[in-house]
Amino acid sequence: MASAPLAPLIPLDDGRSIPQLGLGTWPLKDREAEEAVATAIGLGYRHIDTAAKYGNERGVGRGVRGAGVPREELFVTTKLDGGYQGDDRAIAGLEDSLERLGLDYVDLLLIHWPLPKRGKFASTFRTFKKLQDAGLTRSIGVSNFKPAHLRTLIDGTGLTPAVNQIQLDPTITREDHRAFDAEHGIVTSSWSPLGGGAGATDLLAHPLITGIASRLDVTPGQVVLRWHVQAGLVPIPKSKNPERMRQNLDVFSFDLSAADLEQLATLALGPGAGVDSDRTGH
Ligand code: A2P
């Protein structure tokens, strides 16, 4: 299968950059993850997203190391599990992830969930800075952070995350999160960008999306991923199917019109849609 052109790079506030589209790996197990990652890299993916909590870092690492692309051309993200928040425990958390991945460093380390009731995300992020200074992660960021969590983190540490990875799709649009991130130079990345699992089927079968797809001669998944890309987001669609992986990366050579975007905006469910990270997380 022919590979798609590489995703463009988006600059991060710390002087580094992130490929604008990556492969999500939840809920793949080690063996599936290894195969999916190796296939994706062969197709032109350069950005791979995992997490300690996914339980697949060994497989992801094998896929990354076996793909035949130099390590410095790849962008690997992992996320710290909640049990490692606070008291410099993130040091052991990242060291354990690196051991499972079989890598010397990751490109991006994220706090997986804010877990605001524990009150440890700010001190955890201070530890992240030490890990960045030590070269064990190139960039540092957060996931599932609301504006209020970010305000606490920035005020409490004087540090600003490079990335905030949150649940986003044309129905879950979180305008307030994206505006806060943009004002603070934080790149917003989209998890479950296609609507996620069974939900993806519903979103991708929506007549508005299938209508735009057939007019542009692309697939519904490509319409949705193009929506993310035109909004300046960094989607990380998960697929273990090589043909869908190929399609998902091939979203940089067509445009949604202003009228398409206006129509897609009608799918938004409004504030409060999606996972609430004050109540969820690990
Ligand atoms: P599969 O792995 O069989 O491709 P999300 O990243 O939003 O969580 O969505 C992941 C889900 O969407 C998975 O079930 C994945 O299944 C499916 N999926 C991924 N890419 C596409 C696509 N282009 N069209 C339809 N379904 C897709």
Side-chain angles (χ1 to χ4, degrees), residues 24 26-28 168-169 190-198 200-201 204 219-222 225 236-245 247-248:
W26 185 84
L28 301 176
L168 283 175
D169 66 50
S190 315
W191 65 257
S192 274
L194 299 167
T201 320
L204 299 179
T219 68
Q222 288 173 311
L225 292 170
I236 44 165
K238 171 260 166 189
S239 182
K240 60 181 178 185
N241 173 296
E243 171 51 26
R244 284 194 284 277
M245 279 185 205
Q247 289 174 18
N248 292 349

